[in-house]
Amino acid sequence: MYEILEKREIAANNVLYKIHAPHIARKVQPGQFVVVRAFENGERIPLTPVMWDAEEGWITLVTFIRGRTTLRMNMELQEGDKILNIAGPLGNPAPMKKFGKILAIGMITGIVEVYPIAKAWQEIGNEVITLHIVPEPMIILKEDLEKAVSKHIVESFPLKEGMGMPEIFKELVTRGQAKVRELIEKEKPDLVFMVGPARGQKAIFDVVKEYGIPMEVDLHPIMVDGTGMCGACRVTVGGEVKFACVDGPSFNAYEVNWEELIARSEFYADLEKKALEDYLTKLQQGGAQ
Amino acid sequence: MARSKLIKERVPTPEVPVEERVKSFVEVNLGYDFASAVKEAERCIQCPPEYAPCIKGCPVHINIPGFIKALRENSENPDEAVKNALRVIWNDNTLPAVTGRVCPQEEQCEAPCVMGKVGDPINIGKLERFVADYARKHGIDEELLKEFISEENGIKGKVAVVGSGPAGLTCAGELAKMGYKVTIFEALHKPGGVLIYGIPEFRLPKEILDKEIAKLHELGVEIKLDHIVGKTVTLEELLEEYDAVFIGTGAGTPKLLNIPGILLDRIYTANEFLTRINLMKAYKFPEYDEPISIGKKTIVIGAGNTAMDAARSALRMGSEVTIAYRRGREDMTARIEEIKHAEEEGVKFEFFLNPVEFIGDENGKVKAVKFEKMRPLEERDAKGKRKIVGTGEYITLEADTVIIAIGLEPNKIISEEATGLKTNPDGTLVVDENLMTSIPGVFAGGDAIRGEATVILAMGDGKKAAKAIDEYIQKKRLPA
Ligand SMILES: Cc1cc2nc3c(=O)[nH]c(=O)nc-3n(C[C@H](O)[C@H](O)[C@H](O)COP(=O)(O)OP(=O)(O)OC[C@H]3O[C@@H](n4cnc5c(N)ncnc54)[C@H](O)[C@@H]3O)c2cc1C
Ligand SMILES: Cc1cc2nc3c(=O)[nH]c(=O)nc-3n(C[C@H](O)[C@H](O)[C@H](O)COP(=O)(O)OP(=O)(O)OC[C@H]3O[C@@H](n4cnc5c(N)ncnc54)[C@H](O)[C@@H]3O)c2cc1C
Ligand code: SF4
Ligand code: FES
């Protein structure tokens, strides 16, 4: 069991947990993730260590409150509480090479996964430009990124009354695409890297593709074990079936079968909604703290 | 002792009626009580241990007539009878509540039983299970455990065991009994391997498994969960800290069919399906958070234990289920008892069908499977199974859920990281006759070296490796 040393809402719907997990802190490298199970009757969800200290034995995770588990974590876990299981580090580390100029993009909470990779790339001598595409109330890690890389750009917009998920998403995509086009023209990056929802990644890839610039993406298929034993996370890359948890999570955007990935990431939409509603009802009835 | 007349028929074990059990995950077979167990035990003609064919048929050579004798010798005192019987079993097998339930006895101990020549073979598996269950319920195993706890725990050396399936659990238990300090490293959040995530509650209640594993704690074994060897800690690091390492990582990576439509929605591997149900208890959703989505018509592809477990689980989730197998009825590899249970519960079987395509609807959900009809040949393959050929004729069956259970291969996380570890082309680890791998001091057993096999073979390997590890460490200690 792993103690929560600190918990903070760092922006709307974005919660940071600093957790004592020496077995992860000792080993994790940028690009890797962990699988967390917070409750006895809970599920296993993949999350990414954003910062860590091997000597002090802690890691930080940032969750975007998206459904039942991330909401439950926020409602039921406080500083001093313990998380049942954290397994990892999992997946392959990002390649630590000199690519030259890199444009690293994070959409919404995707930026938390960009942070450790971008920082490490900068440290080994790349020129890294990070771009955060996000609604204004959800801006995070701004000062940290400004310190870590050559240039950090935030492309944001205010949330207006009555804006639903579809409208927000449309705004993210239109603004994101325009900004990326502008940056590619101006900065001429050697590599583009992106983390975000599959639909968002596909939209940005459509722009990058026009310029023929190499692009890497961290994929987020549904995961169960995260160790290669179930195949839930399978994706088609270069015509071959790969398991994102062991062969990824990073893949060449030009080789990804995007239609399939998008369809598969929406498998559980109905049940996720049911789980969330069920939990919200319980909250209203005072069934959960 | 006067020879009594041979009783040809088995004393039956009660089962939960079909109508009731298909609605839940309760255990199907209820097992013997003491009186009926003694009655069944009395059918055994007590072949001398040196000749008893049942002992030879058991992969870990349990003294079967010995434990059966212990049961009937004390028919007036059940506690004493069970204690003596359990002592005999534990000498060779530390997980009898598990093996009594999941071993294919009809191919092992019960196959050569001499009583089988004149009637039914002795119901060895159910007797073994009775002994273990009775002992657990009456606290007898705890008493007995004290006899096995080593005084010298931790003195003889330190051993790391990777994986907590039957191979790892057995190896750890044996080493602890010998006086080693053992630490198990397990990737998942619960120990047990296939026993916890693969085999469903209706065959192996998890409460029983937890108790079997708890015995290890009393023997002084430590289990570190959430530790993926190769990622959280490397093999090299383990070798620095421990005198020897045992790898029992199993064969947990599912094989996928390389045919069109494999990424459609509601096509699961049996491992994902069973893990969600068993380990994550998705059948209790939304009381448990893990979701699972099953339609009204499920096709399971394959006919091993995994396929039966997946089919019977899907049935319990309210789906109509058909098992589609590319060979014939007599070629099925699942245990006979489980095939029988599946049929009773209403699982349908289609033979000589080989899938060639998954067909999806406009939303990307599977709606049908296209099969080629197959035909058997006289010729047999290396495993002794009839070969099959396609007929060029096709058939399409409707399905809104598909579960693929065509086999598993070893997980590559360790072998990819520890490059000195030699593997065969199928991913299994190369070992010598002492189960030592290509790295000195690193041993391996179970599905990790055999590919998909059985619980008892994994346990046999764990035990053999424990002996070899003991010899290896003792030898290393001797001054050259
Ligand atoms: C390698 C990797 C790293 C990730 N890192 C982070 C991170 O650092 N911070 C963060 O906020 N999110 C991260 N995610 C996404 C995160 O796992 C999901 O947001 C989370 O599972 C949602 O759980 P929920 O119950 O709150 O939401 P729900 O939408 O109700 O999810 C329910 C189920 O769907 C699965 N699921 C749904 N969406 C996803 C998804 N996008 N990816 C994987 N599984 C999903 C969950 O595992 C769960 O089984 C990461 C995903 C992956 C694959
Ligand atoms: C659904 C199903 C039903 C079955 N039914 C039967 C049956 O009725 N009878 C029978 O005899 N056999 C049955 N089998 C086969 C039997 O379960 C296996 O042969 C047996 O479990 C193998 O034992 P093992 O210890 O070698 O490996 P496993 O049981 O596979 O255990 C391996 C363990 O190692 C862990 N692990 C893997 N990699 C790492 C790593 N890098 N670091 C740390 N831990 C790791 C895994 O998480 C797992 O817990 C069945 C198999 C399945 C899948
Ligand atoms: S072979 Fe059958 S009859 Fe003979 S000892 Fe074994 S169980 Fe008894
Ligand atoms: S999450 Fe199970 S194989 Fe990747």
Side-chain angles (χ1 to χ4, degrees), chain A residues 27 41 68 88 229-230 234, chain B residues 232 237 267 269 271 286 289:
Chain A
K27 269 290 154 64
N41 63 348
R68 169 142 150 164
M229 54 159 257
C230 76
R234 60 190 188 272
Chain B
T232 318
E237 288 168 317
I267 298 182
T269 68
N271 254 19
D289 289 348

Side-chain angles (χ1 to χ4, degrees), chain B residues 43-47 52-54 64-65 68 112-115 122 124:
Chain B
R43 292 177 58 231
C44 168
I45 60 166
Q46 291 289 303
C47 310
C54 55
I64 292 164
I68 290 182
C113 168
V114 293
M115 278 299 289
I122 305 300
I124 302 168

Side-chain angles (χ1 to χ4, degrees), chain B residues 325-331 352-354 373-391:
Chain B
Y325 185 38
R326 61 192 175 130
R327 299 172 196 266
R329 176 173 287 274
E330 59 276 34
D331 302 301
F352 296 111
L353 291 186
N354 194 29
K373 293 189 182 170
M374 307 303 279
R375 178 168 64 78
L377 299 175
E378 279 313 309
E379 221 181 308
R380 308 224 157 221
D381 67 11
K383 285 184 185 153
K385 284 188 185 168
R386 284 184 297 175
K387 285 194 175 167
I388 43 170
V389 284
T391 59

Side-chain angles (χ1 to χ4, degrees), chain A residues 60-77:
Chain A
T60 59
L61 302 173
V62 175
T63 64
F64 175 67
I65 299 179
R66 174 179 188 279
R68 169 142 150 164
T69 300
T70 42
L71 176 64
R72 251 189 103 179
M73 285 174 69
N74 187 39
M75 301 299 295
E76 297 177 27
L77 295 175

Side-chain angles (χ1 to χ4, degrees), chain A residues 222-233 243-246:
Chain A
I222 286 172
M223 293 188 180
V224 179
D225 59 304
T227 63
M229 54 159 257
C230 76
C233 65
F243 290 3
C245 70
V246 286

